[in-house]
């Protein structure tokens, strides 16, 4: 039986925060990071809540690649405050941390025969992860990133407001935007596709190709900022229903070991991963379909793959994203020392299951050597 789950409600545009003026809420628990507090970004939300005399608790002890101990601390604060609404504000890390908090609190309460009724709102401040519309969360434990997936981690409401992306540094715009592209391309070529996921993925891909570099070069352009938020959202819905692939599996492992930005890792890996997967006929056909949807006219499927790769490399170059992992400052000796662990992580990552090409140990090792 196939299922396409449509959730959350998505409010977007410059007036989208107005929804917070209408919802029933008495106690709101906000999960964010210290930067959002320090820069006053959180005030866009708390000012509205204070006008309504809503009680607020802020948990901001979230770092990039949120760790299990941060989740546990957040759980304790959450249970103590006992809110009727929770708002995740930030990039992928605060939203993932919030999801992790809710995931484990609900499991514990269910085991105690208690129910947890609350409204979960996600407010992304980057256009990249799509976490505001997915069932996924990634939690770091030691030197390993652990992807989680559960429908209970899906927000009830997502708010996409361009005010939150107006002051993003260009490097963050580039990295997170290429993460959107990775989500969409992997969703499209997944071994578990459907018409919903492929249609949304193509929409996201076309938008990234059209608007990301413009957004990178001029972050003040509201139309492009809004379009990238919507593209991120569409890509999130797409991969949530069709899954991802080894581009993310490799990025998860390398990111946990060497602490490099997730989106930038995806961008660096993508051209080589596409070439690797394109040896599978179904994947090659799908990549060529993407090239044609971008209005290229390849004569063969392989030419379509090569055109797509070239288009990605050109956008990476325009945004200062390097071609290889070594250019990110990852030490050669340590990287090759960790190859077996990286391969083990890839094999056990949930994103690998629907990668379009199956591979042997020797094949994935050769790929890892090539991307370095």
């Amino acid at each position: 039986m196939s299922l396409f789950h449509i959730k959350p409600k998505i409010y977007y545009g410059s007036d989208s925060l107005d929804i917070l003026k209408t919802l029933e809420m008495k106690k709101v628990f906000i999960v964010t990071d210290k930067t959002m507090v320090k820069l006053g970004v959180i005030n866009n939300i708390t000012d509205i809540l204070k006008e309504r005399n809503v009680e607020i608790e802020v948990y901001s002890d979230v770092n990039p690649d949120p760790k299990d101990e941060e989740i546990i601390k957040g759980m304790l604060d959450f249970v103590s405050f006992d809110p009727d609404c929770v708002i995740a504000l930030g990039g992928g890390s605060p939203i993932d941390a919030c999801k992790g908090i809710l995931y484990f609190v609900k499991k514990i309460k269910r085991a105690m025969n208690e129910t947890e009724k609350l409204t979960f709102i996600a407010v992304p401040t980057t256009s990249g992860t799509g976490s505001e519309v997915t069932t996924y969360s990634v939690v770091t434990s030691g030197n390993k990133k652990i992807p989680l997936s559960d429908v209970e981690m899906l927000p009830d409401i997502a708010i996409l407001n361009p005010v939150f992306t107006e002051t993003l540094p260009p490097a963050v715009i580039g990295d997170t935007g290429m993460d959107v592209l990775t989500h969409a391309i992997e969703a499209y070529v997944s071994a578990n596709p459907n018409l919903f996921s492929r249609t949304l993925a193509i929409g996201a891909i076309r938008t990234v190709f059209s608007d990301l570099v413009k957004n990178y070069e001029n972050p003040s352009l509201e139309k492009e900022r809004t379009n990238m938020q919507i593209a991120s959202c569409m890509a999130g819905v797409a991969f949530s229903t069709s899954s991802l692939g080894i581009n993310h599996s490799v990025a998860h492992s390398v990111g946990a070991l060497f602490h490099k930005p997730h989106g930038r890792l995806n961008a660096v890996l993508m051209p080589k991963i596409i070439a690797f997967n394109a040896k599978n006929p179904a994947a090659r056909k799908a990549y060529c379909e993407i090239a044609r949807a971008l209005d290229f006219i390849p004569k063969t499927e392989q030419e379509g793959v090569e055109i797509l790769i070239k288009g990605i490399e050109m956008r990476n170059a325009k945004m200062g994203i390097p071609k290889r992992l070594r250019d990110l400052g990852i030490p050669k000796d340590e990287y090759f020392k960790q190859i077996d662990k990286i391969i083990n992580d890839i094999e056990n990552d949930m994103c690998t299951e629907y990668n379009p090409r199956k591979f042997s140990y020797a094949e994935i090792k050769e790929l890892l050597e090539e991307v370095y």
Side-chain angles (χ1 to χ4, degrees):
M1 183 186 301
S2 300
L3 172 67
F4 179 71
H5 190 83
I6 301 177
K7 189 186 175 186
K9 292 180 180 179
I10 302 167
Y11 296 88
Y12 65 96
S14 58
D15 60 350
S16 53
L17 284 170
D18 287 351
I19 188 60
L20 296 177
K21 300 175 182 179
T22 68
L23 299 172
E24 291 187 13
M25 54 178 74
K26 295 180 180 179
K27 299 178 70 176
V28 175
F29 187 76
I30 301 176
V31 179
T32 188
D33 59 39
K34 287 182 168 54
T35 300
M36 294 294 104
V37 176
K38 182 179 179 180
L39 296 178
V41 176
I42 194 173
N43 297 344
N44 290 286
I45 290 174
T46 55
D47 286 351
I48 294 173
L49 300 181
K50 288 175 181 176
E51 284 182 6
R52 299 186 58 194
N53 295 316
V54 173
E55 191 176 348
I56 303 166
E57 174 86 7
V58 177
Y59 176 68
S60 61
D61 289 338
V62 177
N63 294 296
D65 302 322
K67 297 179 175 57
D68 43 15
E69 57 261 32
E70 295 166 26
I71 305 298
I72 294 169
K73 187 175 185 300
M75 288 170 61
L76 295 172
D77 288 0
F78 178 94
V79 171
S80 175
F81 184 62
D82 192 25
D84 58 7
C85 176
V86 59
I87 298 176
L89 171 70
S93 294
I95 297 177
D96 277 3
C98 187
K99 286 180 171 182
I101 290 167
L102 292 175
Y103 176 79
F104 290 109
V105 166
K106 287 182 177 182
K107 279 192 172 298
I108 292 169
K109 291 206 170 189
R110 190 176 297 115
M112 299 170 65
N113 294 319
E114 297 180 16
T115 57
E116 185 65 51
K117 293 183 179 179
L118 52 79
T119 302
F120 176 22
I121 303 172
V123 187
T125 58
T126 62
S127 299
T129 68
S131 189
E132 71 276 7
V133 291
T134 76
T135 60
Y136 289 85
S137 174
V138 180
V139 177
T140 300
S141 181
N143 284 327
K144 186 173 183 179
K145 286 191 175 183
I146 304 172
L148 304 172
S149 180
D150 193 291
V151 71
E152 292 193 355
M153 292 193 291
L154 194 60
D156 300 295
I157 293 172
I159 300 175
L160 312 180
N161 193 299
V163 71
F164 292 113
T165 57
E166 187 173 7
T167 58
L168 285 177
V172 174
I173 292 172
D175 291 353
T176 56
M178 292 307 285
D179 197 17
V180 174
L181 186 61
T182 314
H183 290 154
I185 289 178
E186 289 205 300
Y188 192 90
V189 305
S190 163
N192 183 41
N194 56 69
L195 185 57
F196 293 109
S197 64
R198 284 196 156 181
T199 302
L200 288 164
I202 284 295
I205 292 166
R206 290 174 66 97
T207 303
V208 172
F209 263 71
S210 171
D211 292 340
L212 175 57
V213 173
K214 295 177 188 175
N215 185 200
Y216 172 87
E217 292 176 342
N218 189 352
S220 67
L221 297 174
E222 184 171 320
K223 177 178 176 289
E224 282 73 13
R225 291 204 319 277
T226 300
N227 286 351
M228 282 304 301
Q229 286 183 310
I230 294 172
S232 176
C233 193
M234 289 194 297
V237 176
F239 84 74
S240 193
T241 189
S242 67
S243 192
L244 292 165
I246 60 167
N247 209 128
H248 270 76
S249 303
V250 177
H252 286 156
S253 181
V254 174
L257 287 168
F258 299 104
H259 309 293
K260 301 299 177 182
H262 174 72
R264 178 154 294 214
L265 283 170
N266 272 329
V268 171
L269 294 165
M270 204 177 344
K272 294 287 193 295
I273 298 283
I274 289 173
F276 177 83
N277 280 336
K279 293 180 181 178
N280 172 281
R284 184 166 58 247
K285 180 176 182 290
Y287 288 129
C288 185
E289 289 171 355
I290 293 172
R292 291 194 172 110
L294 292 168
D295 298 324
F296 296 112
I297 310 174
K299 296 176 182 177
T300 66
E301 290 181 351
Q302 184 57 37
E303 185 178 5
V305 173
E306 292 167 3
I307 289 171
L308 178 60
I309 289 173
K310 190 65 177 176
I312 293 167
E313 289 177 336
M314 288 174 62
R315 279 156 181 78
N316 278 346
K318 285 183 178 180
M319 296 185 294
I321 296 173
K323 291 185 175 182
R324 296 186 177 274
L325 294 179
R326 62 172 171 258
D327 299 323
L328 297 179
I330 295 175
K332 181 176 181 179
D333 290 347
E334 186 62 23
Y335 176 80
F336 283 93
K337 180 182 176 182
Q338 297 286 354
I339 283 281
D340 282 344
K341 180 182 181 347
I342 295 171
I343 293 173
N344 183 67
D345 289 346
I346 293 168
E347 290 173 342
N348 289 288
D349 193 305
M350 68 169 63
C351 296
T352 300
E353 181 178 1
Y354 292 112
N355 190 69
R357 177 185 171 185
K358 304 304 176 186
F359 48 83
S360 66
Y361 173 91
E363 289 168 336
I364 196 68
K365 184 178 180 182
E366 183 179 356
L367 171 66
L368 292 171
E369 291 170 349
E370 186 177 357
V371 297
Y372 183 80

